[in-house]
Amino acid sequence: MRPIQRRQHGLQYGIYLLYMQALNFGIDKIPPATLLTIIAQVLLYIGFIKVPWNAEEVCISAIKIFKYHDWNSFIISNFEHGSDMHLYYNMVSLILKGSYLEPMYKTMNFVILLTILSFGCSTMYIGLSYVLMQLTGDYGYYVQCAIGFSSILFALKVIVICEEYDRIHDVGGLRVPSKIAVWVELILIHLLVPQSSFIGHLGGILIGCLYCYTFIGEMIDNIIYIITNIPIIHEEQFYRRRNSLFR
């Protein structure tokens, strides 16, 4: 997520870069739900999908939800982007994370998980904005508006790390243990891209932690199983991590 900019329609350099990255990765290697999610967000950004709103109109903020009850922004904001490069970086990240998790969880399960994460990240963003406004007295937290898929990507990153065996991650040229990689990335992005939404990224991390480390994750897995009749099978270390806290 990042503060809004007016969207430019049509093909732009970031779209071209994304296409080349997808070709280099292998479009046939990108799982279907991940690929369709990327295509839909690209088509939405370039204006091919006609919608009755502009990107800047559906950014999410605490004031829009609490005062104006603008529930459209609650979900739509996650799938809009403010610039072609914003879209490019997010979709490249989705290629990597989706290609890892979707085959493991199965396509329908992954689609439902993305939907739940979308609701969760929006809820966390609004909650954090309100709490920070109350704690600091800074009204800016209450009105700060953001769009983008990156909060969901941070949640997915936490899940990927929980599925993997402990290993070293490269974060912006820094080699760090997996258990702190997402926190290092949060800080680096905030320092290098100050206009990015720190609250949105932090909210995504917290949603990922709730899924990985608490009973809420078990509840989500059970709900998904009831809907699809396909269980989500995690790696053994994922269960160890989920059982390590709050038990």
Side-chain angles (χ1 to χ4, degrees):
M1 286 185 163
R2 67 175 51 183
I4 58 173
Q5 302 174 28
R6 182 167 293 276
R7 178 169 62 196
Q8 299 294 319
H9 290 281
L11 296 177
Q12 298 175 55
Y13 185 58
I15 308 296
Y16 170 76
L17 288 179
L18 175 59
Y19 175 70
M20 295 306 298
Q21 285 285 353
L23 285 181
N24 290 335
F25 184 87
I27 294 179
D28 59 315
K29 297 179 182 178
I30 304 175
T34 300
L35 182 59
L36 288 175
T37 302
I38 292 169
I39 291 173
Q41 292 187 69
V42 170
L43 294 179
L44 180 62
Y45 176 77
I46 65 176
F48 185 86
I49 298 177
K50 302 300 181 181
V51 291
W53 64 77
N54 294 318
E56 61 270 15
E57 295 174 346
V58 294
C59 64
I60 188 172
S61 68
I63 191 172
K64 289 177 71 173
I65 300 300
F66 289 127
K67 185 174 181 179
Y68 300 108
H69 308 295
D70 182 3
W71 299 108
N72 289 331
S73 65
F74 195 81
I75 292 300
I76 297 172
S77 61
N78 289 320
F79 301 97
E80 287 281 9
H81 290 83
S83 71
D84 59 322
M85 295 308 296
H86 184 202
L87 176 70
Y88 163 71
Y89 286 118
N90 278 355
M91 295 304 97
V92 169
S93 180
L94 179 57
I95 288 174
L96 299 176
K97 295 171 178 62
S99 296
Y100 179 83
L101 291 175
E102 185 178 336
M104 182 186 301
Y105 290 176
K106 308 307 179 188
T107 295
M108 282 307 302
N109 289 347
F110 185 68
V111 169
I112 297 172
L113 179 61
L114 282 182
T115 303
I116 293 172
L117 291 178
S118 179
F119 276 95
C121 288
S122 293
T123 302
M124 186 65 74
Y125 178 84
I126 294 165
L128 286 174
S129 298
Y130 180 80
V131 169
L132 287 171
M133 186 268 290
Q134 293 290 336
L135 291 176
T136 65
D138 185 350
Y139 194 69
Y141 289 115
Y142 196 57
V143 299
Q144 185 180 99
C145 222
I147 55 176
F149 202 71
S150 52
S151 61
I152 299 172
L153 292 171
F154 267 92
L156 291 176
K157 185 176 183 66
V158 174
I159 296 171
V160 168
I161 288 174
C162 286
E163 292 286 5
E164 295 175 332
Y165 287 101
D166 289 334
R167 66 182 182 88
I168 300 299
H169 284 250
D170 186 289
V171 180
L174 299 176
R175 296 179 61 79
V176 297
S178 60
K179 61 185 178 182
I180 65 169
V182 69
W183 299 104
V184 173
E185 183 173 346
L186 173 68
I187 295 170
L188 280 179
I189 289 179
H190 184 59
L191 293 175
L192 298 176
V193 191
Q195 70 269 29
S196 63
S197 175
F198 181 83
I199 298 174
H201 296 167
L202 175 60
I205 292 175
L206 295 178
I207 290 296
C209 289
L210 287 175
Y211 179 75
C212 290
Y213 297 115
T214 75
F215 68 92
I216 292 176
E218 293 182 16
M219 292 174 58
I220 291 173
D221 286 351
N222 290 335
I223 291 171
I224 292 175
Y225 177 68
I226 290 171
I227 296 172
T228 67
N229 203 33
I230 303 172
I232 290 182
I233 306 299
H234 298 290
E235 296 291 344
E236 180 182 351
Q237 67 272 10
F238 186 100
Y239 291 113
R240 290 202 304 268
R241 288 173 176 176
R242 181 175 282 177
N243 293 331
S244 65
L245 295 178
F246 308 108
R247 291 292 178 88

